[in-house]
Structure formats: structure tokens, C-alpha cells
Amino acid sequence: MHSSFMPPRQVKIGDAAAFVGSTPRAIRHYHEIGLLPEPERGGDDRRRYGYEDMIRLLWIRKMADAGIALDDIRDASTPGTASAGADSADGAGADSADGIAGILERLEETLAEREAELRRQRTAVQRMRTEGSRMGLLSDFVTDRLKSLPEGSLRQADLDSLLVTERIFGPLGAAVQATRFVVLATHPTLREDSDRIDDAEEALDDSVAVDDPRVVQVAVERHAFENALHAVIEESGLGKDDDALFDAWDTLHPAAADDGEDETDLSSGRREADSMSAFEAIGKMPYDFSPARLRCMELAEDLSAQDSPGT
């Protein structure tokens, strides 16, 4: 160093922050939480930082950049000495309950979890870009069922319905429901009939009484349509594909298959871990259905039950 240059014995907080790559606000916070002893103030009532303080600030900055929480740095180090800062960095904190080694072990576990979550998020983003922003948010098990469809043949309402079904019944339930939309997307006549009946059900608003003749009429039309849709599913072989879905799911999730659940039960072990039962969903997922429309749905279900063998 040039003989005419004399380094300062102490520096103000702004210079200290600039040197270590921090901010005065951060350093004040260190003082507040007991991580860095507050130095004496000069005649101008400003803090002055010496060599020991700067060493400790550098260690704090390095450890914080590594992801160690400030409270852990404080608890695992001996406050007030430069050697404590060095000890904290190499895992020899004298007054630590676990020591820096324990903190680093927990931090590594946390970072591994974050890394796994980032990989999951990146995979989801890549799927959204590949499959489309909406369909890509559904699970692979569902989108694989829809890949044979022409681009743009699925409607937003179809994807909305699959999203809700997957939330309640999991990927298997949504994959089975996807069969319906595969048929509608590939059979224009059925799609037209579906739209017509959907509109008729929408028209059963609060102004329509539950005993209005239109309620029964629409229920009969819905029942006839569902029978026609089911017939196409069976004739096209999609029904057998649905059966194969259960086998594929059991192969991917053998634990669920060992639970002894009925294959038709989509509301139990086949759901995602954080999903809910259909019963729970009734009180949490709002549907603005009028009493007349609800009655129409009940009548359609009754008609379907009458068609079932043994009824």
C-alpha cells in the first residue's frame, strides 16, 4: 500500500454496508436481533465499525448468502468476537445447541426439498408449453387420454370439468370422465345434442317451478342422451379402454390396489393426497343450480336407476 495512504481505524455504517455488500438497514437489523453487537457511537452520535465488526459482518453475509437463517447464525455463534464468526463458518460455534453442523444438515434437507419442488414446477411449466396452458395443468394420466384428439377440439368447459373432477376424484376419475369428452369431440351430432340439452337445463332457472312440465321433459331428454352417449362409448371400444385405465392405475399405484377397494370407487384411495371426498366437495364446490334444475337432475338419475339390471 502507498505510504501516504492510511486506512481508517473505524468507518460509518454506510461504508461498512458498502464494503460487505449489504445495506445499513440490514446491519441495523443485525443489531436489533442480537446477531451483531452494536458498536459505540462517536461524538456525532453515529455508529463506528472497526476491523472486528467488519470481519463478523463478512461472515454473516457469507452465511446468509448460503441460506442459513439469521436466527440460526446468532444462536450457533459466540457473539462479540471475530473468532466466533470464523468458528461459525467452519462449524465450531461454542455456545450452539446443535452447532452449525446441525444447522447445515437441516438446511441441506430444506434445499433438497426446494430443489425437488423446483423440478416439479419446471416440469409443470414444460407440460403447459407442450400440451397447452390449460390441458398441461392436468395430470399425465388425464392428458394421455386426450392426446388423440385434434387440436382445439376440446372446449374450455370440458377442461374446467376435468379440472374439478381431478380435484375431487384424482387423475383416475378425471381420465374416466375424459372418455365423455373424447366422444363429444369426435361426434358432432352428439355434441349438438349435448349443447341443446345443456341449454335446456340452463333455462331451468329460479323462475321455473319444480313441478313445471319442462323439468320432466328435460330429464327425459338428458336420460336419452346419456344412453346414446354410453352406446357410442361401448361401440367404439372406449369402454374397454376405461377398464384398462383401472389396470394401468393399479400398476402405477400398487399400494392403492392392495387396499381391497372396489374398482368403481374413485373417491377413496385413488384420489390425490390432498383431494377430498365427493361428500366433502358438495359443501365446498359451489354450483348455482335452481331447485327446478336440481329436480331435473334427480329425475334423470331415477330414470338411469330404472335402466340398471336388478332395479
Side-chain angles (χ1 to χ4, degrees):
M1 133 182 350
H2 197 277
S3 59
S4 63
F5 176 77
M6 293 296 295
R9 300 183 65 181
Q10 293 180 318
V11 296
K12 298 178 182 178
I13 189 171
D15 293 328
F19 180 80
V20 301
S22 184
T23 64
R25 181 177 180 180
I27 294 177
R28 294 189 188 100
H29 180 63
Y30 300 160
H31 296 321
E32 291 173 0
I33 66 175
L35 179 58
L36 179 71
E38 185 173 357
E40 295 183 1
R41 296 175 181 266
D44 57 359
D45 199 34
R46 294 185 176 182
R47 299 181 182 90
R48 292 292 192 278
Y49 297 83
Y51 178 80
E52 303 274 344
D53 299 315
M54 298 298 287
I55 290 297
R56 187 166 180 81
L57 278 171
L58 285 171
W59 281 123
I60 291 172
R61 173 64 192 275
K62 288 287 187 179
M63 296 173 75
D65 285 349
I68 302 176
L70 295 180
D71 288 343
D72 287 337
I73 299 174
R74 177 196 60 204
D75 296 341
S77 60
T78 303
T81 65
S83 60
D87 287 345
S88 298
D90 62 15
D95 66 341
S96 169
D98 298 322
I100 288 295
I103 293 172
L104 292 177
E105 182 179 357
R106 294 195 300 272
L107 176 61
E108 186 173 9
E109 293 174 354
T110 300
L111 292 175
E113 293 173 357
R114 292 179 184 173
E115 186 178 22
E117 178 64 13
L118 286 173
R119 286 198 299 269
R120 185 195 65 78
Q121 292 175 343
R122 185 177 182 184
T123 299
V125 170
Q126 290 174 338
R127 289 192 69 246
M128 290 173 67
R129 295 184 64 185
T130 302
E131 305 290 348
S133 60
R134 297 284 184 171
M135 189 183 299
L137 290 173
L138 299 171
S139 68
D140 289 338
F141 205 70
V142 181
T143 55
D144 286 347
R145 188 70 165 148
L146 304 169
K147 282 184 176 178
S148 62
L149 293 178
E151 184 176 354
S153 59
L154 281 176
R155 295 180 179 179
Q156 179 62 55
D158 301 339
L159 296 173
D160 292 344
S161 182
L162 289 170
L163 185 68
V164 172
T165 301
E166 184 171 339
R167 173 59 182 159
I168 299 173
F169 296 111
L172 177 58
V176 172
Q177 187 194 34
T179 300
R180 177 187 192 89
F181 300 124
V182 170
V183 172
L184 292 178
T186 54
H187 292 73
T189 301
L190 279 177
R191 175 66 88 175
E192 291 175 4
D193 289 342
S194 177
D195 291 342
R196 177 179 55 79
I197 297 171
D198 287 345
D199 291 342
E201 289 177 339
E202 287 282 352
L204 298 177
D205 55 23
D206 289 322
S207 66
V208 180
V210 293
D211 56 355
D212 190 295
R214 287 175 292 176
V215 175
V216 176
Q217 178 184 348
V218 176
V220 171
E221 292 177 356
R222 169 59 70 184
H223 173 62
F225 168 77
E226 295 299 331
N227 282 344
L229 179 66
H230 180 71
V232 173
I233 290 175
E234 293 302 319
E235 291 170 3
S236 62
L238 290 172
K240 294 181 180 179
D241 291 344
D242 282 348
D243 294 337
L245 285 174
F246 288 91
D247 295 335
W249 182 265
D250 289 343
T251 300
L252 293 171
H253 305 82
D258 293 339
D259 291 341
E261 298 165 356
D262 191 317
E263 284 193 347
T264 60
D265 181 13
L266 303 180
S267 61
S268 52
R270 302 183 187 279
R271 299 194 314 269
E272 294 176 332
D274 64 343
S275 60
M276 62 191 72
S277 69
F279 180 79
E280 292 173 311
I282 290 174
K284 293 179 172 61
M285 182 64 190
Y287 287 95
D288 190 15
F289 292 161
S290 68
R293 185 168 182 179
L294 289 173
R295 179 55 180 160
C296 177
M297 294 167 62
E298 293 173 358
L299 292 173
E301 290 175 2
D302 290 343
L303 291 171
S304 296
Q306 293 173 17
D307 289 344
S308 300
T311 301

